[in-house]
Amino acid sequence: MKKIITIFCICILSVTTVNAQRITLKIASVAPARSPWDTEQKRLAQEWARITDGKVSINFYDAAAQGGETGVIRKMRSVRPGQKSPIDGAVFTSIGIYELSPQSKVMTLCVPFLFQNQDELDAVLDEFSDEMKKSITDQGYVLLGWFNVGWAYFLTREEARTPEELKSLKLTVGGFDSPELGAAFAASGFTTEDVSSDKILQSIRSPSGVEGLYTIPMYAYAARYYEGLPYVLDLPICPVMTAFVVSQSAWNQIPDEYKADLMAAVKESESKFISVQKEADEENLALMEKAGAVRVKLTPEEVKLWQDTLRADAAKMATIKNSIIDIDFYNRITTFLAEYRAGNN
């Protein structure tokens, strides 16, 4: 009997030890359900489980159901000493990253027409990522990777071919998730209204609601924004960045022997997603057009007017009090890009 009891205790201890070694990270994500982005996240979770022999798993949760990006940040922070946060990390857009760590200056990357293509964005991230990452680390989080999930386009209720026409429409650009972004646009002459992310569709459908917004085609199609805002300005404005972050405490639970491979898996996922991002933008634009949306094609002269106007507006956005655009960082990026372009011509 003693031998049986001993074996039983050993079995229980073994099971307990195995369970103690298993780590499940709860990650809130802004990725639309069933989108290519969502699919890639699930593939990454499978890869992490493979690398760690099932010891580390990721469960992704819809950030919208957690109160949006600001709600997720509150849950990541609102814990007492010694308590575990209900959310271990998140995949944030630029807005969420900025709310988590304004010192990252990430919104400066969203200045209209700062970048001409993905290669320029990649070069700037290579040059300045460590600087941006430090501010996130100082907040108690580990930045695992950057992703560009698409380029922002303007969608409007009425056709707007010029900046002047767009500025006459009521836009939501950051909503309650980022009133600072709305303030920046307002400083350069846009008419803006803060609308919470879960109320945008309702506002679009209301006769007195917003008459335009800018977002990536993936969001516009998945959320059906194009139904109330059927005119899509066929001009990519800026990249929309996301970042995969986890709390330092959650990262510390993972054995060091796996971390290099886990980070490499994130980097591979990042590369795969970026490689198909341009195709995904075009695919979603085409799907909206097929569903009845109108792509507003511009002449070269009209494109130049947009570029000149919005670049000039960026200076106004950067000079307001508490601007989300860091003018010093912006100037350093433009200087770097000038040298980068000269070297690639």
Side-chain angles (χ1 to χ4, degrees):
M1 179 60 73
K2 289 182 179 180
K3 185 175 182 181
I4 292 174
I5 292 174
T6 300
I7 293 173
F8 179 72
C9 290
I10 290 174
C11 289
I12 290 182
L13 181 61
S14 298
V15 170
T16 302
T17 301
V18 170
N19 288 337
Q21 292 174 342
R22 296 188 184 280
I23 301 163
T24 299
L25 299 182
K26 297 179 180 179
I27 307 297
S29 175
V30 293
R34 297 178 296 279
S35 66
W37 183 1
D38 184 38
T39 300
E40 186 57 35
Q41 285 183 168
K42 292 174 180 175
R43 192 207 63 79
L44 178 62
Q46 293 172 348
E47 184 65 7
W48 274 35
R50 184 195 67 77
I51 291 170
T52 62
D53 294 323
K55 294 183 178 66
V56 179
S57 59
I58 305 174
N59 287 345
F60 286 104
Y61 298 85
D62 183 2
Q66 307 296 318
E69 295 186 84
T70 53
V72 170
I73 292 172
R74 284 194 297 268
K75 290 185 177 182
M76 289 170 66
R77 288 175 170 168
S78 60
V79 291
R80 297 176 181 176
Q83 286 186 329
K84 187 178 184 300
S85 169
I87 297 292
D88 297 304
V91 178
F92 285 125
T93 67
S94 307
I95 290 175
I97 305 164
Y98 179 82
E99 293 299 314
L100 182 72
S101 177
Q103 294 77 18
S104 68
K105 300 172 286 192
V106 67
M107 292 301 292
T108 304
L109 302 182
C110 300
V111 169
F113 303 115
L114 175 59
F115 301 103
Q116 296 177 354
N117 51 52
Q118 182 66 43
D119 288 343
E120 291 187 357
L121 176 59
D122 290 342
V124 166
L125 287 176
D126 287 342
E127 179 72 14
F128 297 103
S129 184
D130 286 346
E131 176 182 336
M132 299 166 68
K133 185 186 299 185
K134 182 181 183 304
S135 69
I136 296 172
T137 302
D138 291 344
Q139 294 293 321
Y141 301 95
V142 178
L143 174 65
L144 299 180
W146 294 106
F147 295 79
N148 172 18
V149 294
W151 290 66
Y153 289 72
F154 281 109
L155 281 74
T156 56
R157 187 176 295 179
E158 304 170 5
E159 184 179 80
R161 299 190 67 88
T162 68
E164 184 179 359
E165 290 174 341
L166 183 66
K167 289 180 179 183
S168 69
L169 301 178
K170 182 167 56 177
L171 308 177
T172 182
V173 292
F176 288 124
D177 289 335
S178 181
E180 298 92 347
L181 183 57
F185 270 80
S188 58
F190 287 87
T191 304
T192 63
E193 180 176 307
D194 291 338
V195 180
S196 60
S197 55
D198 61 334
K199 300 291 185 183
I200 288 178
L201 195 57
Q202 178 182 333
S203 180
I204 290 172
R205 290 171 175 169
S206 170
S208 60
V210 296
E211 301 166 302
L213 56 72
Y214 85 139
T215 187
I216 59 174
M218 186 190 304
Y219 277 156
Y221 181 70
R224 305 173 77 92
Y225 292 152
Y226 65 90
E227 293 181 344
L229 305 174
Y231 292 94
V232 183
L233 187 66
D234 201 17
L235 182 66
I237 305 298
C238 66
V240 174
M241 300 300 301
T242 63
F244 182 12
V245 300
V246 297
S247 67
Q248 185 68 62
S249 58
W251 186 245
N252 288 343
Q253 294 178 45
I254 299 174
D256 290 342
E257 63 188 280
Y258 300 125
K259 289 180 178 177
D261 288 340
L262 296 180
M263 292 287 282
V266 173
K267 190 67 177 177
E268 181 183 357
S269 181
E270 174 187 335
S271 298
K272 284 182 178 179
F273 194 84
I274 289 175
S275 70
V276 301
Q277 169 269 312
K278 187 174 182 180
E279 294 176 9
D281 274 1
E282 182 57 37
E283 179 183 347
N284 282 286
L285 287 168
L287 287 170
M288 286 189 284
E289 191 173 23
K290 185 178 180 180
V294 178
R295 291 174 69 170
V296 180
K297 302 287 187 177
L298 301 177
T299 66
E301 293 76 19
E302 288 174 324
V303 170
K304 186 176 186 307
L305 175 62
W306 277 96
Q307 293 174 337
D308 292 345
T309 301
L310 292 189
R311 283 172 180 156
D313 286 343
K316 300 174 186 176
M317 294 179 182
T319 54
I320 65 171
K321 184 178 181 181
N322 299 322
S323 176
I324 59 171
I325 299 172
D326 185 286
I327 190 63
D328 174 67
F329 192 40
Y330 175 73
N331 289 335
R332 286 192 289 135
I333 290 175
T334 54
T335 298
F336 171 82
L337 284 174
E339 295 173 355
Y340 176 83
R341 289 164 185 161
N344 285 276
N345 287 336

